[in-house]
Amino acid sequence: MTPPGEYSAQQIKVLKGLEGVRKRPGMYVGDTSTRGLHQIAFEAVDNAVDEALAGYCKNIEVIIHKDGSLSVEDDGRGIPVDVIPSEGKPALEVVMTTLHAGGKFDQLGYKVSGGLHGVGISVTCALSEWMITRVKRDGKIYEQRFSRGLPTSTMKVVGTAEGTGTLQHFKPDPQIFSTCEFSFDILQQRLRELAFLNRGLRITLVDERTDKKQTFEYEGGIKSFVEHLNRNKGPLHDVRYIIGERGKVQVEVAFQYNEGYIENVLAYANNIHTVDGGTHLAGFRAALTRVLNAYAKKAGILKESEGNLSGEDVREGLTAVISVKIPNPEFEGQTKAKLGSAEARGAVEEVVAEALTYYLEENPGPARKIVEKCAQAARAREAARKARDLARRKSALDGGSLPGKLADCSERDPARSEVFLVEGESAGGSAKAGRDRHFQAILPLRGKILNVEKARLDKIVGHEEIRTLITALGAGFQNDFDLSKLRYHRIYIMTDADVDGAHIRTLLLTFFFRYMPKLIEAGHLFIAQPPLYQVRKGKKAVYCYTEEDRDRALAELGEGATIQQYKGLGEMDPEQLWETTMDPERRIVRKVLLDDAVAADEIFTILMGEKVEPRKQFIAENARDVVNLDV
Ligand code: 0RA
């Protein structure tokens, strides 16, 4: 026994664990701004979803409270409350105050272990100013309170209860987080995804600051997810839904081809979006390629002379969600976003191959549509290869490999080099004159670039502005993209602050998102922000980047101040362009992030896709947000 007032070895270990979390929160939740803040919320949500995965919880309610706190309530079995003999404390307290204690008491479930998240609810507790846990079990309500990872009360019975469940209510610690404001949109995006991935689970999100409320519940599970993803993309057939089990691996796949050319395949393992794919994705791809090739040959859609459909061919215009549930999954890679568990590959491949073969046999109509689309993709791929070869030979003939329009910098180290993609020849001229040619290159782009969302690969590589851009950046594109060959580590999109400029910016963003997503993920893409106004009085002149800036400057300079509005980059002389937009010491830039692939895909599909109606609606609904959403 430990004498009162002294710490047992066990307690010291616990303290150390959570002290570590508070000392280096970034190691546990990514960062201490918006992302980390929401991570501690998702930690609480994941616990409740694990209880649903185990089959005991049907409803989860998440509330953003007026005081900035967040609560997550589930109707699962409730965290166990009995005393754990080895710890001398109720299980509830151990779970809340011990790193990685969560899984200890429930070895059988499919819970996330050692994955992307799954650091445990104790991390939420450690990073909260206060936290209250309430458990309904055995007809009683138990409650315990905590602050910054330590108990501030013992566990007590505070009432009687019907049913069972767990309530976690916490206020993020402002000593830790630079922002403590929960975002309805970020929470909503992940909660919707979780509801899709766990068929029948009802998740409600309430925002008491605004009285907004959303309920997510999908009887169709990931089938509904694919319907949702494809809803603006012109589907070719009904969503196929496949479910099966091999050994301990549960496999669920839903897929649907659309009229477009974009592949959108999302892979999940135990509800975690495995952005870098892994064994489950490999199994799916193998099955798809094998079965579609066999069918294409058998049905005579692909001639013997035409060779096989490639993996790329069978994924053109394919939207799919793959979800596996697997005990003790292994995650690999630096960000742990790749499933490594070998057994998932065979399980997915077998389940998908069997169901897909059967489907094609039984449904010759959709089968023909799908395989003909793949065959067309194969022919376009061949045409694209020829166009690319031609482009390569042509640039070899031109003498050098760099495009003539590029005003390159003298610096050769990509880490210290920047390139500005500038709208229009005249602004390009100002930028060339105003830049520091030492490390800043300028690539003027003539007029509108091609909308890649609506074009097939052969047309895209045939488009001159796009070829120039690819060549100038030096890293190839799509599957050939090689980040290590990138010639500039900072790429700025610099367009006019008007509607045309915004359109060109979106076209470029679409291109980068679809064909060089790794460049965005690696943080190399930026939006330059030219000033919108200059406010002047006498010799004093202030550049203003927002309307608020302008009003502040007007107030400061006082009566008689005048405003000049900059409509285009061309209105600034080289010196001004340097001072306001290009000088690293003074400029304002926004980094383009790719946090949420699902949201980004939706936005680009809606903004740049074929259908006009949803786009009109989207722009009308989000007119103010569009500017920020795409970055
Ligand atoms: C371990 C064992 C049992 C339930 C839970 C954990 C549990 C944890 C959380 C966290 C949030 N909600 C939760 N719901 C349940 C099962 C105990 C039993 O056998 O009844």
Side-chain angles (χ1 to χ4, degrees), residues 44-51 56-57 72 74-80 95 102-106 111 121 137 165-168:
V45 172
D46 283 351
N47 272 273
V49 174
D50 279 348
E51 188 66 1
Y56 297 102
C57 156
V72 178
D74 68 64
D75 59 355
R77 291 167 294 180
I79 301 178
V95 167
K104 254 193 204 163
F105 312 103
D106 199 2
K111 72 174 65 240
I121 189 73
R137 268 181 94 106
T166 303
L167 170 77
Q168 299 284 18

